[in-house]
Amino acid sequence: MPGFEIFGDEERREVNEVLETGVLFRYGFDAARKDRWKAKTFEKELCRITGAKFAHLCSSGTAALSTALAACGIGAGDEVIVPPFTFVATFEAVLNAGAVPVFSEIDDTLCLDPDAIEDVLTPRTKAVMPVHMCGAMAQIDAIKDLCDRKGLILLEDACQALGATFNGKSLGRFGRMGCFSFDPVKTITCGEGGGVITDDKELYVRADAYADHGHDHIGTDRGAEDHILLGTNYRISELNAAVGVAQIRKLDHILSLQRANKKALKDALSGFDGVSFRRIPDVEGDSATFLSFFLPDEARARQIAKSLAENGVDGCFYWYDNNWHYIRKWHHLKSLKAAARLPAQLADNLRDYSHIELPGSDSVMSRCISMLIKLSWTQDDLASRIESMRKAFKS
Ligand SMILES: *Cc1c(COP(=O)(O)O)cnc(C)c1O
């Protein structure tokens, strides 16, 4: 699954080029850096891979989400619709913007159900933020249609889905902005890092400024930069960006390995009793980081998850019990355990998260198991894994 599996000389070479100049910062020091611009190069590669006109790197995927929300003008009093199956960063970024996360049902795509979104719309709904979970896409065309009809901003959390496409178009390009993460368990990694993409020049300029204290980045050597808005520091370091440059150039290779390995496991699993698969709106566009499947009911799913572990089939996730990715165990959200007192206006607007009922999502997630797809598996590894899976299903 993650790029760290194939970390090698290419990454070391890029990092060394930065260490040789000693310019670890992405801006300025124009003479000393000897024309080495790793963050800029990574951004160009991100545009090439996704087809987006503009890309801006940030210090993390979470920072990218916050930057996108800010660039789109989403803030105090606004409601943002998010799924209950994601990583906690999605709703953290919304709260950090002073906005209210509103959870809406997912369906068997493991992503927001477009039909359910209408039920949670209010006059305060400003944006919809689908999350393309586990490397594959939401029904992004239907979600985009809804946003267009209702005049809502579409922002995509594609943090887990670099390289995935829908009808040939990169995820992250359907919304006004799309966000990616390059943390250590994502498709490619640079240690810590994230990126926003957009085709909208004005949004790009705002994102680029917001993530560096509002600086306009006009001119050379940071000589006479002005502040175009109030920002913060979500800058990526040049060292991290250097790793990313090497990693993103391996993306096609990573995707083809993942797709082949996933196909072998899926073919085997298709023959097992009671198994059905996650619905993927465009199978061709799946980045294949995970294989997700359903059992007929919660009891059987729990039993199979346990049995897979007992038979040594590693890297399987029963998300329904997982406190990183599913709302059921987000106790800190339910009790709104903030580090400091929340701004009064936000506190007044927030929902009672301890009593959110999402029966549709519960029914999907309680039957779901995901298996991560490794790059390093050999044919023998795959064969013995399939054999162990067969044993697990016989029990
Ligand atoms: C990883 C992830 C993020 C946050 O990325 P970081 O780089 O770890 O901050 C956001 N959303 C989703 C869905 C993720 O999986």
Side-chain angles (χ1 to χ4, degrees), residues 60-62 65 86-87 89-90 131 133 157 159-160 181 183 186 193:
S60 69
T62 311
L65 291 171
T86 177
F87 178 50
T90 309
V131 182
M133 277 304 274
D157 180 339
C159 282
Q160 297 190 7
S181 163
D183 83 17
K186 299 306 200 286

Side-chain angles (χ1 to χ4, degrees), residues 13-312:
R13 193 178 323 124
E14 294 292 335
V15 171
N16 275 335
E17 283 196 7
V18 176
L19 292 175
E20 279 160 20
T21 64
V23 181
L24 313 185
F25 192 53
R26 72 160 296 178
Y27 296 113
F29 301 95
D30 293 12
R33 68 169 60 240
K34 302 200 177 114
D35 218 28
R36 289 169 187 176
W37 301 89
K38 299 306 178 186
K40 279 191 193 176
T41 308
F42 190 175
E43 282 161 354
K44 270 195 205 120
E45 292 285 331
L46 194 53
C47 287
R48 180 180 64 81
I49 294 283
T50 59
K53 286 197 182 129
F54 306 100
H56 182 73
L57 289 180
C58 297
S59 49
S60 69
T62 311
L65 291 171
S66 288
T67 299
L69 286 159
C72 290
I74 296 163
D78 296 332
E79 291 180 354
V80 181
I81 294 170
V82 294
F85 177 48
T86 177
F87 178 50
V88 294
T90 309
F91 68 77
E92 284 174 347
V94 174
L95 289 171
N96 188 37
V100 176
V102 174
F103 293 90
S104 186
E105 297 270 28
I106 59 161
D107 59 20
D108 60 349
T109 62
L110 304 186
C111 301
L112 279 181
D113 172 359
D115 294 330
I117 292 173
E118 295 219 30
D119 297 341
V120 297
L121 295 180
T122 77
R124 292 181 170 214
T125 310
K126 179 93 177 246
V128 181
M129 195 150 87
V131 182
H132 302 293
M133 277 304 274
C134 304
M137 74 287 313
Q139 294 172 72
I140 195 64
D141 51 346
I143 296 173
K144 181 167 171 31
D145 279 354
L146 175 102
C147 289
D148 289 348
R149 257 187 296 123
K150 303 283 180 184
L152 301 172
I153 295 170
L154 175 60
L155 283 180
E156 294 169 79
D157 180 339
C159 282
Q160 297 190 7
L162 184 70
T165 56
F166 178 73
N167 289 344
K169 181 168 165 176
S170 173
L171 301 186
R173 290 196 58 216
F174 292 83
R176 295 190 57 194
M177 297 193 110
C179 300
F180 297 98
S181 163
F182 312 113
D183 83 17
V185 292
K186 299 306 200 286
T187 312
I188 67 166
T189 185
C190 61
E192 293 283 2
V196 291
I197 59 168
T198 184
D199 284 343
D200 183 323
K201 174 97 192 268
E202 197 181 317
L203 289 181
Y204 163 72
V205 168
R206 288 165 63 87
D208 173 87
Y210 180 77
D212 178 31
H213 307 291
H215 289 303
D216 62 16
H217 301 137
I218 292 172
T220 53
D221 243 350
R222 315 212 84 187
E225 287 185 30
D226 206 349
H227 301 100
I228 63 167
L229 41 72
L230 293 170
T232 184
N233 177 3
Y234 287 146
R235 291 185 305 252
I236 193 165
S237 115
E238 196 71 349
L239 282 172
N240 292 84
V243 177
V245 168
Q247 286 265 303
I248 201 166
R249 289 177 177 157
K250 297 178 179 179
L251 182 64
D252 287 344
H253 178 59
I254 291 174
L255 294 176
S256 67
L257 285 176
Q258 281 175 175
R259 286 172 177 151
N261 289 346
K262 175 167 176 175
K263 183 173 183 310
L265 296 183
K266 188 174 179 198
D267 286 351
L269 209 50
S270 309
F272 294 3
D273 251 9
V275 171
S276 59
F277 294 98
R278 167 188 186 176
R279 178 157 56 105
I280 297 185
D282 175 10
V283 177
E284 299 270 293
D286 178 12
S287 71
T289 52
F290 280 90
L291 171 59
S292 300
F293 55 96
F294 302 111
L295 283 307
D297 55 44
E298 177 177 341
R300 180 69 176 152
R302 286 185 181 280
Q303 187 202 348
I304 292 292
K306 190 161 165 273
S307 179
L308 284 166
E310 284 166 1
N311 282 279

Side-chain angles (χ1 to χ4, degrees), residues 340-360:
R341 195 140 54 94
L342 294 171
Q345 191 190 9
L346 176 61
D348 287 348
N349 289 334
L350 288 175
R351 306 286 177 96
D352 177 0
Y353 295 104
S354 62
H355 284 98
I356 290 184
E357 301 282 329
L358 294 158

